Amino acid sequence: MKPVLNRSRVSILGIGTALPVHSIPQSDVAELLVSSLKDQPDLARFARRIFRSCGVETRYTCEPSYLGTSEECRYLPSGDPSNIPTTEERMSTYKREALPLGIEAAEKAMKDAGISPENITHLITVSCTGQYLPGLDVMLIRHLGLSPRMNRIPLIFQGCAAGLKAIQMARDMVLGSPGANVLVVCVELCSLHFQPAKEKEALFASSFFGDGASSCVIGNAGEHHADILQLGTGCSVLLPDSAEDMTWEVGNTGFDLYLSPRIPKLLGTHLGPELELLLAGDDLPELWAIHPGGRGIVDSVQNVLNLRDEQTKYSREILKNAGNLSSVTIMFVLNAMRCELRSMDSASKEGVAMAFGPGLTAELMRFRYVPAHVPSPKEPNHANL
């Protein structure tokens, strides 16, 4: 079915990002993991190969334990495994560390959008790496000075696709209530769930995930708004025969992630037809904000769409310099893209954003970079926006 045309002014008005203070080279994480596998030499060799080839050079973590030796790191211990943090301990750390990152990202987003806390009407909080109640949404309202009467929607345990899902939910909220200003805040502390690997598939998760937060403000743009991302039609789709290829379950020593090596191939098989439906006969756009779930995923998308290296560089650079930040990452990619377009005094350009998560779920959304003003309803608009 052809998407319904949407000529609204709903846009991302501002974006903010935040990273923990602790950065750690990929080579150091690899050494910690290899040390924890000293009794499994074959798996250790495989780990070195995976860590070298996954496209990550630096990651950030809220947990200083990773900065010490393998004897000091409780998450990837080379010694007594009985001291590995329990899920309860990890959730306690999440509760302490998630809020400051969320506050930093949200304050940057509101400043970037030129909007004050009292004008935020809705709050969507996103995370799959920690849970507690009263939750992050309540804490953010208190610390940011948001209205206690606002509509708040916690979007939890949805995986890497949830950041883009939240953006699409916020778009729909503003479409239904034109005066709304929605604050989206994503916080993921993926490194809290690292643990000694027992099989090859578990190594993929520890090879490229990191910690961070991102936020954006979504509302109807005015003539004074510049450098915005106007939001177009989008969709969420479950890809066939892939429910077991990405799983995220609560274990006794953190959350257990399984990533199938089939994921890039599955995306390569099914993504093309879904994008044809989204584009509804229009040409492929210039801009591509691809969630860097791993180098193989970006490679697969680039190959199936025949994209140039320049079109995937934003995703690859975020993966290289910060890793996969789960739901947080798509806003890092969009922000890097927007900043470069602004620095180049670029004209308006069309784009597609995409992110993937358990299900196997694909979130797809059209957008347009607008450098100076949003077209009025009478101006032609040929991109289903």
Side-chain angles (χ1 to χ4, degrees):
M1 183 173 65
K2 188 172 182 176
V4 178
L5 294 181
N6 170 13
R7 300 178 185 270
S8 78
R9 297 180 178 217
V10 182
S11 306
I12 296 179
L13 307 177
I15 302 176
T17 62
L19 292 166
V21 296
H22 305 300
S23 65
I24 180 169
Q26 176 76 338
S27 57
D28 288 359
V29 187
E31 288 307 314
L32 287 173
L33 183 63
V34 168
S35 294
S36 72
L37 299 172
K38 59 185 178 181
D39 297 329
Q40 303 177 73
D42 290 342
L43 200 56
R45 283 192 294 271
F46 182 78
R48 288 188 186 278
R49 188 162 65 250
I50 290 296
F51 273 66
R52 284 195 302 266
S53 63
C54 69
V56 177
E57 291 186 4
T58 304
R59 285 186 272 175
Y60 290 78
T61 177
C62 66
E63 178 50 71
S65 174
Y66 292 110
L67 305 180
T69 65
S70 58
E71 289 78 15
E72 298 168 323
C73 182
R74 295 180 61 204
Y75 291 79
L76 298 170
S78 60
D80 183 7
S82 64
N83 197 34
I84 295 174
T86 63
T87 299
E88 180 181 7
E89 289 181 84
R90 297 170 197 248
M91 291 301 93
S92 178
T93 303
Y94 175 92
K95 184 176 181 180
R96 181 182 70 247
E97 300 291 343
L99 181 60
L101 283 173
I103 291 173
E104 180 183 349
E107 289 179 338
K108 289 179 179 177
M110 289 189 289
K111 181 179 180 180
D112 188 35
I115 191 169
S116 57
E118 58 267 25
N119 290 321
I120 298 295
T121 60
H122 299 69
L123 173 64
I124 303 177
T125 51
V126 182
S127 189
C128 70
T129 51
Q131 298 181 33
Y132 64 94
L133 289 173
L136 185 62
D137 55 330
V138 174
M139 300 298 108
L140 286 171
I141 286 174
R142 291 178 180 175
H143 286 81
L144 294 173
L146 304 175
S147 170
R149 294 181 177 85
M150 74 164 45
N151 191 350
R152 50 193 172 88
I153 303 96
L155 187 60
I156 60 173
F157 222 62
Q158 295 291 305
C160 297
L164 188 53
K165 180 180 286 293
I167 290 173
Q168 300 209 70
M169 289 173 62
R171 176 204 58 207
D172 292 346
M173 290 175 187
V174 178
L175 284 172
S177 180
N181 291 302
V182 184
L183 178 65
V184 177
V185 182
C186 305
V187 182
E188 302 289 8
L189 304 184
C190 304
S191 70
L192 293 183
H193 300 286
F194 292 176
Q195 45 195 298
K198 301 179 180 64
E199 53 190 17
K200 287 185 176 181
E201 287 76 11
L203 292 171
F204 291 106
S206 58
S207 68
F208 49 68
F209 279 98
D211 300 350
S214 62
S215 179
C216 67
V217 176
I218 295 173
N220 273 306
E223 293 298 326
H224 63 287
H225 286 110
D227 304 309
I228 59 174
L229 299 176
Q230 189 178 9
L231 304 182
T233 54
C235 65
S236 177
V237 58
L238 284 172
L239 303 183
D241 303 321
S242 59
E244 302 303 319
D245 286 280
M246 185 185 300
T247 61
W248 186 228
E249 298 179 345
V250 178
N252 292 329
T253 55
F255 299 169
D256 299 323
L257 177 63
Y258 169 76
L259 297 174
S260 165
R262 295 199 320 145
I263 292 174
K265 183 178 179 180
L266 287 167
L267 293 177
T269 300
H270 299 294
L271 197 55
E274 296 300 332
L275 284 168
E276 287 181 10
L277 288 174
L278 181 73
L279 295 173
D282 291 338
D283 294 335
L284 291 179
E286 175 65 19
L287 303 176
W288 291 89
I290 305 164
H291 167 69
R295 192 175 77 172
I297 286 179
V298 182
D299 288 346
S300 181
V301 174
Q302 180 168 356
N303 290 337
V304 75
L305 299 176
N306 196 28
L307 301 179
R308 305 186 308 277
D309 289 344
E310 181 182 357
Q311 293 174 291
T312 62
K313 69 178 182 180
Y314 308 102
S315 300
R316 296 190 190 278
E317 288 174 1
I318 296 301
L319 182 66
K320 174 184 175 181
N321 296 321
N324 179 350
L325 308 175
S326 190
S327 69
V328 169
T329 327
I330 192 63
M331 278 187 255
F332 270 74
V333 175
L334 288 168
N335 195 44
M337 179 182 293
R338 186 186 62 140
C339 288
E340 180 172 277
L341 292 169
R342 178 171 54 201
S343 70
M344 296 168 56
D345 292 325
S346 173
S348 178
K349 290 186 177 182
E350 314 295 338
V352 168
M354 61 180 70
F356 316 104
L360 190 62
T361 302
E363 294 284 334
L364 308 171
M365 183 192 70
R366 302 186 69 169
F367 68 91
R368 170 187 290 141
Y369 170 71
V370 181
H373 74 286
V374 177
S376 69
K378 294 182 180 180
E379 291 182 48
N381 189 330
H382 302 295
N384 292 350
L385 290 169

